[in-house]
Amino acid sequence: MTVADGSDLWLRRFHPAPASPVRLVCFPHAGGSASFYFPVSAALASDSDVVALQYPGRQDRRTEPSVDDIGVLADRIAPVVAPLFDRPVVFFGHSMGAVVAFEVARRLASGGRTPAMLFASGRRAPSTRRVETVHQRDDDGLVAEMKALSGTDAQVLGDEELLRMVLPAIRSDYRAIETYGPVEATVDCPITALVGDDDPKATPAEADAWRAHTTAAFHIQVFRGGHFYLSPRAVEVIGVVREALRSAVAVR
């Protein structure tokens, strides 16, 4: 794999910890950006080197075209993430990010790089299928979806200029995730599925189906909440991730 884009374009370290014995790589949701994981980075800075992906088409990469295909996005991310495996690595992906993390892990396997754990948060398994067409809605319909999921900053939704800037990236992300799969593939790393008990995008049963996508251990944890359960349940979620990071170091 050849690095087509510099890692400085893709990777964000809000609280660098280069001496940490373990690394956490975070994959944002549809319409999300690296900054979504700033609180996670702050909370886990003493436990790991936290790295967040920044997809094209948003924030400081807003002038770049967005990628509307999960496979293409994973192809571009994999060679950027590969050099991070100089120590144990844990992947954490929320919603679309869970699928991107899974596909990146698949691509890295050929080079002998396997995450110590893959957290699949707020996303049904790749083998499940729903017909979803949010990306085909008009702008008002797209905004309504974001408000319903409560995943976009209220300040952005109330600022017409900001909203128009981010809508193309959001639509592209929705097209990518809604046209993905179903996929029956597996990875060799353990998978932990995290899901809200009232998530309209992934039921606990659909999240549990991730167990068919790993040849290693599987665990599922259900939290109270909706699609973005991890915001009000941040302390609990960070505790689960911290335990996985410590375990990754212990078995190194």
PDB file of all heavy atoms in Angstrom, residues 202-231:
ATOM      1  N   ALA A 202     -29.614   1.212  14.991  1.00  0.00           N
ATOM      2  CA  ALA A 202     -29.045  -0.107  15.285  1.00  0.00           C
ATOM      3  C   ALA A 202     -29.696  -0.675  16.530  1.00  0.00           C
ATOM      4  O   ALA A 202     -29.524  -0.136  17.619  1.00  0.00           O
ATOM      5  CB  ALA A 202     -27.534  -0.003  15.485  1.00  0.00           C
ATOM      6  N   THR A 203     -30.445  -1.738  16.372  1.00  0.00           N
ATOM      7  CA  THR A 203     -31.043  -2.391  17.536  1.00  0.00           C
ATOM      8  C   THR A 203     -29.969  -3.237  18.222  1.00  0.00           C
ATOM      9  O   THR A 203     -28.952  -3.596  17.601  1.00  0.00           O
ATOM     10  CB  THR A 203     -32.195  -3.306  17.117  1.00  0.00           C
ATOM     11  OG1 THR A 203     -31.659  -4.398  16.343  1.00  0.00           O
ATOM     12  CG2 THR A 203     -33.237  -2.558  16.296  1.00  0.00           C
ATOM     13  N   PRO A 204     -30.155  -3.584  19.494  1.00  0.00           N
ATOM     14  CA  PRO A 204     -29.205  -4.485  20.149  1.00  0.00           C
ATOM     15  C   PRO A 204     -29.016  -5.793  19.383  1.00  0.00           C
ATOM     16  O   PRO A 204     -27.901  -6.321  19.318  1.00  0.00           O
ATOM     17  CB  PRO A 204     -29.833  -4.704  21.523  1.00  0.00           C
ATOM     18  CG  PRO A 204     -30.535  -3.411  21.805  1.00  0.00           C
ATOM     19  CD  PRO A 204     -31.125  -3.013  20.468  1.00  0.00           C
ATOM     20  N   ALA A 205     -30.079  -6.317  18.787  1.00  0.00           N
ATOM     21  CA  ALA A 205     -29.959  -7.554  18.018  1.00  0.00           C
ATOM     22  C   ALA A 205     -29.081  -7.359  16.781  1.00  0.00           C
ATOM     23  O   ALA A 205     -28.261  -8.219  16.432  1.00  0.00           O
ATOM     24  CB  ALA A 205     -31.338  -8.059  17.603  1.00  0.00           C
ATOM     25  N   GLU A 206     -29.240  -6.216  16.111  1.00  0.00           N
ATOM     26  CA  GLU A 206     -28.412  -5.933  14.931  1.00  0.00           C
ATOM     27  C   GLU A 206     -26.960  -5.703  15.330  1.00  0.00           C
ATOM     28  O   GLU A 206     -26.040  -6.061  14.587  1.00  0.00           O
ATOM     29  CB  GLU A 206     -28.963  -4.710  14.195  1.00  0.00           C
ATOM     30  CG  GLU A 206     -30.281  -4.963  13.471  1.00  0.00           C
ATOM     31  CD  GLU A 206     -30.874  -3.700  12.881  1.00  0.00           C
ATOM     32  OE1 GLU A 206     -30.826  -2.635  13.553  1.00  0.00           O
ATOM     33  OE2 GLU A 206     -31.401  -3.762  11.753  1.00  0.00           O
ATOM     34  N   ALA A 207     -26.749  -5.101  16.483  1.00  0.00           N
ATOM     35  CA  ALA A 207     -25.384  -4.904  16.975  1.00  0.00           C
ATOM     36  C   ALA A 207     -24.762  -6.231  17.373  1.00  0.00           C
ATOM     37  O   ALA A 207     -23.564  -6.473  17.152  1.00  0.00           O
ATOM     38  CB  ALA A 207     -25.385  -3.935  18.153  1.00  0.00           C
ATOM     39  N   ASP A 208     -25.564  -7.114  17.945  1.00  0.00           N
ATOM     40  CA  ASP A 208     -25.072  -8.426  18.362  1.00  0.00           C
ATOM     41  C   ASP A 208     -24.589  -9.253  17.165  1.00  0.00           C
ATOM     42  O   ASP A 208     -23.740 -10.131  17.313  1.00  0.00           O
ATOM     43  CB  ASP A 208     -26.175  -9.185  19.107  1.00  0.00           C
ATOM     44  CG  ASP A 208     -25.661 -10.461  19.746  1.00  0.00           C
ATOM     45  OD1 ASP A 208     -24.977 -10.365  20.782  1.00  0.00           O
ATOM     46  OD2 ASP A 208     -25.928 -11.549  19.188  1.00  0.00           O
ATOM     47  N   ALA A 209     -25.118  -8.942  15.984  1.00  0.00           N
ATOM     48  CA  ALA A 209     -24.723  -9.675  14.781  1.00  0.00           C
ATOM     49  C   ALA A 209     -23.257  -9.435  14.399  1.00  0.00           C
ATOM     50  O   ALA A 209     -22.715 -10.159  13.555  1.00  0.00           O
ATOM     51  CB  ALA A 209     -25.641  -9.307  13.609  1.00  0.00           C
ATOM     52  N   TRP A 210     -22.601  -8.456  15.037  1.00  0.00           N
ATOM     53  CA  TRP A 210     -21.157  -8.260  14.817  1.00  0.00           C
ATOM     54  C   TRP A 210     -20.367  -9.510  15.220  1.00  0.00           C
ATOM     55  O   TRP A 210     -19.242  -9.719  14.762  1.00  0.00           O
ATOM     56  CB  TRP A 210     -20.646  -7.071  15.621  1.00  0.00           C
ATOM     57  CG  TRP A 210     -20.829  -5.728  14.987  1.00  0.00           C
ATOM     58  CD1 TRP A 210     -21.833  -4.828  15.215  1.00  0.00           C
ATOM     59  CD2 TRP A 210     -19.958  -5.103  14.025  1.00  0.00           C
ATOM     60  NE1 TRP A 210     -21.648  -3.687  14.449  1.00  0.00           N
ATOM     61  CE2 TRP A 210     -20.508  -3.829  13.718  1.00  0.00           C
ATOM     62  CE3 TRP A 210     -18.767  -5.490  13.401  1.00  0.00           C
ATOM     63  CZ2 TRP A 210     -19.904  -2.949  12.816  1.00  0.00           C
ATOM     64  CZ3 TRP A 210     -18.154  -4.618  12.500  1.00  0.00           C
ATOM     65  CH2 TRP A 210     -18.734  -3.367  12.213  1.00  0.00           C
ATOM     66  N   ARG A 211     -20.922 -10.355  16.090  1.00  0.00           N
ATOM     67  CA  ARG A 211     -20.202 -11.548  16.550  1.00  0.00           C
ATOM     68  C   ARG A 211     -19.828 -12.462  15.386  1.00  0.00           C
ATOM     69  O   ARG A 211     -18.851 -13.229  15.483  1.00  0.00           O
ATOM     70  CB  ARG A 211     -21.020 -12.304  17.594  1.00  0.00           C
ATOM     71  CG  ARG A 211     -22.235 -13.011  17.101  1.00  0.00           C
ATOM     72  CD  ARG A 211     -22.896 -13.884  18.177  1.00  0.00           C
ATOM     73  NE  ARG A 211     -23.345 -13.108  19.338  1.00  0.00           N
ATOM     74  CZ  ARG A 211     -22.789 -13.219  20.546  1.00  0.00           C
ATOM     75  NH1 ARG A 211     -21.771 -14.058  20.744  1.00  0.00           N
ATOM     76  NH2 ARG A 211     -23.260 -12.510  21.555  1.00  0.00           N
ATOM     77  N   ALA A 212     -20.582 -12.398  14.288  1.00  0.00           N
ATOM     78  CA  ALA A 212     -20.280 -13.231  13.127  1.00  0.00           C
ATOM     79  C   ALA A 212     -19.130 -12.675  12.296  1.00  0.00           C
ATOM     80  O   ALA A 212     -18.695 -13.315  11.336  1.00  0.00           O
ATOM     81  CB  ALA A 212     -21.522 -13.382  12.244  1.00  0.00           C
ATOM     82  N   HIS A 213     -18.619 -11.501  12.667  1.00  0.00           N
ATOM     83  CA  HIS A 213     -17.587 -10.838  11.863  1.00  0.00           C
ATOM     84  C   HIS A 213     -16.201 -10.881  12.495  1.00  0.00           C
ATOM     85  O   HIS A 213     -15.297 -10.173  12.048  1.00  0.00           O
ATOM     86  CB  HIS A 213     -18.003  -9.395  11.582  1.00  0.00           C
ATOM     87  CG  HIS A 213     -19.215  -9.305  10.709  1.00  0.00           C
ATOM     88  ND1 HIS A 213     -19.149  -9.359   9.336  1.00  0.00           N
ATOM     89  CD2 HIS A 213     -20.538  -9.210  11.024  1.00  0.00           C
ATOM     90  CE1 HIS A 213     -20.377  -9.284   8.833  1.00  0.00           C
ATOM     91  NE2 HIS A 213     -21.234  -9.195   9.835  1.00  0.00           N
ATOM     92  N   THR A 214     -16.037 -11.693  13.521  1.00  0.00           N
ATOM     93  CA  THR A 214     -14.714 -11.870  14.104  1.00  0.00           C
ATOM     94  C   THR A 214     -14.445 -13.349  14.358  1.00  0.00           C
ATOM     95  O   THR A 214     -15.354 -14.107  14.729  1.00  0.00           O
ATOM     96  CB  THR A 214     -14.566 -11.092  15.424  1.00  0.00           C
ATOM     97  OG1 THR A 214     -13.281 -11.367  15.985  1.00  0.00           O
ATOM     98  CG2 THR A 214     -15.643 -11.459  16.441  1.00  0.00           C
ATOM     99  N   THR A 215     -13.193 -13.732  14.169  1.00  0.00           N
ATOM    100  CA  THR A 215     -12.765 -15.083  14.502  1.00  0.00           C
ATOM    101  C   THR A 215     -12.220 -15.129  15.926  1.00  0.00           C
ATOM    102  O   THR A 215     -11.802 -16.185  16.406  1.00  0.00           O
ATOM    103  CB  THR A 215     -11.680 -15.560  13.526  1.00  0.00           C
ATOM    104  OG1 THR A 215     -10.554 -14.664  13.610  1.00  0.00           O
ATOM    105  CG2 THR A 215     -12.204 -15.574  12.097  1.00  0.00           C
ATOM    106  N   ALA A 216     -12.209 -13.970  16.588  1.00  0.00           N
ATOM    107  CA  ALA A 216     -11.711 -13.873  17.961  1.00  0.00           C
ATOM    108  C   ALA A 216     -12.889 -13.645  18.908  1.00  0.00           C
ATOM    109  O   ALA A 216     -14.031 -13.957  18.585  1.00  0.00           O
ATOM    110  CB  ALA A 216     -10.681 -12.747  18.061  1.00  0.00           C
ATOM    111  N   ALA A 217     -12.613 -13.082  20.065  1.00  0.00           N
ATOM    112  CA  ALA A 217     -13.652 -12.882  21.074  1.00  0.00           C
ATOM    113  C   ALA A 217     -14.636 -11.785  20.659  1.00  0.00           C
ATOM    114  O   ALA A 217     -14.298 -10.865  19.909  1.00  0.00           O
ATOM    115  CB  ALA A 217     -13.016 -12.520  22.412  1.00  0.00           C
ATOM    116  N   PHE A 218     -15.842 -11.904  21.177  1.00  0.00           N
ATOM    117  CA  PHE A 218     -16.878 -10.894  20.928  1.00  0.00           C
ATOM    118  C   PHE A 218     -17.584 -10.569  22.230  1.00  0.00           C
ATOM    119  O   PHE A 218     -17.828 -11.434  23.075  1.00  0.00           O
ATOM    120  CB  PHE A 218     -17.904 -11.391  19.909  1.00  0.00           C
ATOM    121  CG  PHE A 218     -19.064 -10.444  19.731  1.00  0.00           C
ATOM    122  CD1 PHE A 218     -18.937  -9.328  18.927  1.00  0.00           C
ATOM    123  CD2 PHE A 218     -20.276 -10.661  20.387  1.00  0.00           C
ATOM    124  CE1 PHE A 218     -19.996  -8.436  18.774  1.00  0.00           C
ATOM    125  CE2 PHE A 218     -21.333  -9.775  20.244  1.00  0.00           C
ATOM    126  CZ  PHE A 218     -21.191  -8.662  19.437  1.00  0.00           C
ATOM    127  N   HIS A 219     -17.928  -9.296  22.367  1.00  0.00           N
ATOM    128  CA  HIS A 219     -18.678  -8.845  23.535  1.00  0.00           C
ATOM    129  C   HIS A 219     -19.607  -7.730  23.091  1.00  0.00           C
ATOM    130  O   HIS A 219     -19.281  -6.956  22.189  1.00  0.00           O
ATOM    131  CB  HIS A 219     -17.724  -8.330  24.620  1.00  0.00           C
ATOM    132  CG  HIS A 219     -18.426  -7.810  25.836  1.00  0.00           C
ATOM    133  ND1 HIS A 219     -19.107  -8.631  26.719  1.00  0.00           N
ATOM    134  CD2 HIS A 219     -18.566  -6.544  26.314  1.00  0.00           C
ATOM    135  CE1 HIS A 219     -19.617  -7.901  27.691  1.00  0.00           C
ATOM    136  NE2 HIS A 219     -19.312  -6.624  27.472  1.00  0.00           N
ATOM    137  N   ILE A 220     -20.762  -7.644  23.706  1.00  0.00           N
ATOM    138  CA  ILE A 220     -21.691  -6.549  23.420  1.00  0.00           C
ATOM    139  C   ILE A 220     -22.088  -5.893  24.731  1.00  0.00           C
ATOM    140  O   ILE A 220     -22.272  -6.570  25.754  1.00  0.00           O
ATOM    141  CB  ILE A 220     -22.937  -7.033  22.648  1.00  0.00           C
ATOM    142  CG1 ILE A 220     -23.856  -5.835  22.333  1.00  0.00           C
ATOM    143  CG2 ILE A 220     -23.682  -8.116  23.403  1.00  0.00           C
ATOM    144  CD1 ILE A 220     -24.979  -6.156  21.373  1.00  0.00           C
ATOM    145  N   GLN A 221     -22.190  -4.576  24.705  1.00  0.00           N
ATOM    146  CA  GLN A 221     -22.632  -3.834  25.878  1.00  0.00           C
ATOM    147  C   GLN A 221     -23.711  -2.844  25.434  1.00  0.00           C
ATOM    148  O   GLN A 221     -23.508  -2.069  24.496  1.00  0.00           O
ATOM    149  CB  GLN A 221     -21.476  -3.092  26.537  1.00  0.00           C
ATOM    150  CG  GLN A 221     -21.833  -2.509  27.895  1.00  0.00           C
ATOM    151  CD  GLN A 221     -20.612  -2.320  28.785  1.00  0.00           C
ATOM    152  OE1 GLN A 221     -19.532  -2.835  28.502  1.00  0.00           O
ATOM    153  NE2 GLN A 221     -20.780  -1.589  29.867  1.00  0.00           N
ATOM    154  N   VAL A 222     -24.859  -2.910  26.087  1.00  0.00           N
ATOM    155  CA  VAL A 222     -26.000  -2.057  25.755  1.00  0.00           C
ATOM    156  C   VAL A 222     -26.125  -0.962  26.817  1.00  0.00           C
ATOM    157  O   VAL A 222     -26.140  -1.246  28.019  1.00  0.00           O
ATOM    158  CB  VAL A 222     -27.300  -2.870  25.678  1.00  0.00           C
ATOM    159  CG1 VAL A 222     -28.471  -1.969  25.296  1.00  0.00           C
ATOM    160  CG2 VAL A 222     -27.154  -4.018  24.664  1.00  0.00           C
ATOM    161  N   PHE A 223     -26.208   0.291  26.335  1.00  0.00           N
ATOM    162  CA  PHE A 223     -26.349   1.440  27.215  1.00  0.00           C
ATOM    163  C   PHE A 223     -27.740   2.038  27.059  1.00  0.00           C
ATOM    164  O   PHE A 223     -28.386   1.887  26.016  1.00  0.00           O
ATOM    165  CB  PHE A 223     -25.313   2.514  26.866  1.00  0.00           C
ATOM    166  CG  PHE A 223     -23.891   2.078  27.067  1.00  0.00           C
ATOM    167  CD1 PHE A 223     -23.215   1.377  26.073  1.00  0.00           C
ATOM    168  CD2 PHE A 223     -23.212   2.370  28.246  1.00  0.00           C
ATOM    169  CE1 PHE A 223     -21.900   0.975  26.250  1.00  0.00           C
ATOM    170  CE2 PHE A 223     -21.894   1.974  28.427  1.00  0.00           C
ATOM    171  CZ  PHE A 223     -21.239   1.277  27.425  1.00  0.00           C
ATOM    172  N   ARG A 224     -28.188   2.738  28.045  1.00  0.00           N
ATOM    173  CA  ARG A 224     -29.428   3.488  27.906  1.00  0.00           C
ATOM    174  C   ARG A 224     -29.169   4.687  27.004  1.00  0.00           C
ATOM    175  O   ARG A 224     -28.188   5.415  27.172  1.00  0.00           O
ATOM    176  CB  ARG A 224     -29.927   3.966  29.274  1.00  0.00           C
ATOM    177  CG  ARG A 224     -30.419   2.843  30.183  1.00  0.00           C
ATOM    178  CD  ARG A 224     -31.038   3.402  31.440  1.00  0.00           C
ATOM    179  NE  ARG A 224     -32.215   4.214  31.142  1.00  0.00           N
ATOM    180  CZ  ARG A 224     -32.886   4.914  32.043  1.00  0.00           C
ATOM    181  NH1 ARG A 224     -32.496   4.925  33.306  1.00  0.00           N
ATOM    182  NH2 ARG A 224     -33.949   5.620  31.682  1.00  0.00           N
ATOM    183  N   GLY A 225     -30.052   4.886  26.016  1.00  0.00           N
ATOM    184  CA  GLY A 225     -29.894   6.042  25.149  1.00  0.00           C
ATOM    185  C   GLY A 225     -30.139   5.732  23.694  1.00  0.00           C
ATOM    186  O   GLY A 225     -30.418   4.590  23.313  1.00  0.00           O
ATOM    187  N   GLY A 226     -30.037   6.759  22.873  1.00  0.00           N
ATOM    188  CA  GLY A 226     -30.282   6.647  21.444  1.00  0.00           C
ATOM    189  C   GLY A 226     -29.008   6.476  20.645  1.00  0.00           C
ATOM    190  O   GLY A 226     -28.030   5.893  21.118  1.00  0.00           O
ATOM    191  N   HIS A 227     -29.009   7.029  19.429  1.00  0.00           N
ATOM    192  CA  HIS A 227     -27.884   6.814  18.529  1.00  0.00           C
ATOM    193  C   HIS A 227     -26.593   7.422  19.081  1.00  0.00           C
ATOM    194  O   HIS A 227     -25.514   6.874  18.888  1.00  0.00           O
ATOM    195  CB  HIS A 227     -28.207   7.408  17.158  1.00  0.00           C
ATOM    196  CG  HIS A 227     -27.208   7.032  16.102  1.00  0.00           C
ATOM    197  ND1 HIS A 227     -26.918   5.721  15.783  1.00  0.00           N
ATOM    198  CD2 HIS A 227     -26.405   7.792  15.310  1.00  0.00           C
ATOM    199  CE1 HIS A 227     -26.001   5.684  14.826  1.00  0.00           C
ATOM    200  NE2 HIS A 227     -25.665   6.931  14.534  1.00  0.00           N
ATOM    201  N   PHE A 228     -26.716   8.547  19.746  1.00  0.00           N
ATOM    202  CA  PHE A 228     -25.534   9.168  20.341  1.00  0.00           C
ATOM    203  C   PHE A 228     -25.546   8.988  21.854  1.00  0.00           C
ATOM    204  O   PHE A 228     -25.257   9.901  22.620  1.00  0.00           O
ATOM    205  CB  PHE A 228     -25.445  10.641  19.930  1.00  0.00           C
ATOM    206  CG  PHE A 228     -24.955  10.818  18.520  1.00  0.00           C
ATOM    207  CD1 PHE A 228     -25.859  10.896  17.468  1.00  0.00           C
ATOM    208  CD2 PHE A 228     -23.607  10.848  18.227  1.00  0.00           C
ATOM    209  CE1 PHE A 228     -25.414  11.028  16.156  1.00  0.00           C
ATOM    210  CE2 PHE A 228     -23.153  10.964  16.921  1.00  0.00           C
ATOM    211  CZ  PHE A 228     -24.060  11.065  15.881  1.00  0.00           C
ATOM    212  N   TYR A 229     -25.872   7.764  22.271  1.00  0.00           N
ATOM    213  CA  TYR A 229     -25.860   7.388  23.682  1.00  0.00           C
ATOM    214  C   TYR A 229     -24.525   7.729  24.342  1.00  0.00           C
ATOM    215  O   TYR A 229     -24.440   8.003  25.546  1.00  0.00           O
ATOM    216  CB  TYR A 229     -26.082   5.870  23.816  1.00  0.00           C
ATOM    217  CG  TYR A 229     -24.866   5.099  23.392  1.00  0.00           C
ATOM    218  CD1 TYR A 229     -23.875   4.771  24.317  1.00  0.00           C
ATOM    219  CD2 TYR A 229     -24.643   4.786  22.051  1.00  0.00           C
ATOM    220  CE1 TYR A 229     -22.713   4.130  23.913  1.00  0.00           C
ATOM    221  CE2 TYR A 229     -23.504   4.153  21.643  1.00  0.00           C
ATOM    222  CZ  TYR A 229     -22.537   3.830  22.582  1.00  0.00           C
ATOM    223  OH  TYR A 229     -21.382   3.222  22.166  1.00  0.00           O
ATOM    224  N   LEU A 230     -23.425   7.698  23.561  1.00  0.00           N
ATOM    225  CA  LEU A 230     -22.093   7.820  24.126  1.00  0.00           C
ATOM    226  C   LEU A 230     -21.794   9.215  24.666  1.00  0.00           C
ATOM    227  O   LEU A 230     -20.860   9.373  25.455  1.00  0.00           O
ATOM    228  CB  LEU A 230     -21.011   7.386  23.128  1.00  0.00           C
ATOM    229  CG  LEU A 230     -20.724   8.211  21.885  1.00  0.00           C
ATOM    230  CD1 LEU A 230     -19.573   7.566  21.115  1.00  0.00           C
ATOM    231  CD2 LEU A 230     -21.915   8.325  20.987  1.00  0.00           C
ATOM    232  N   SER A 231     -22.595  10.209  24.302  1.00  0.00           N
ATOM    233  CA  SER A 231     -22.376  11.545  24.878  1.00  0.00           C
ATOM    234  C   SER A 231     -22.841  11.608  26.337  1.00  0.00           C
ATOM    235  O   SER A 231     -22.045  11.923  27.224  1.00  0.00           O
ATOM    236  CB  SER A 231     -23.061  12.613  24.023  1.00  0.00           C
ATOM    237  OG  SER A 231     -22.429  12.693  22.750  1.00  0.00           O
TER     238      SER A 231
END
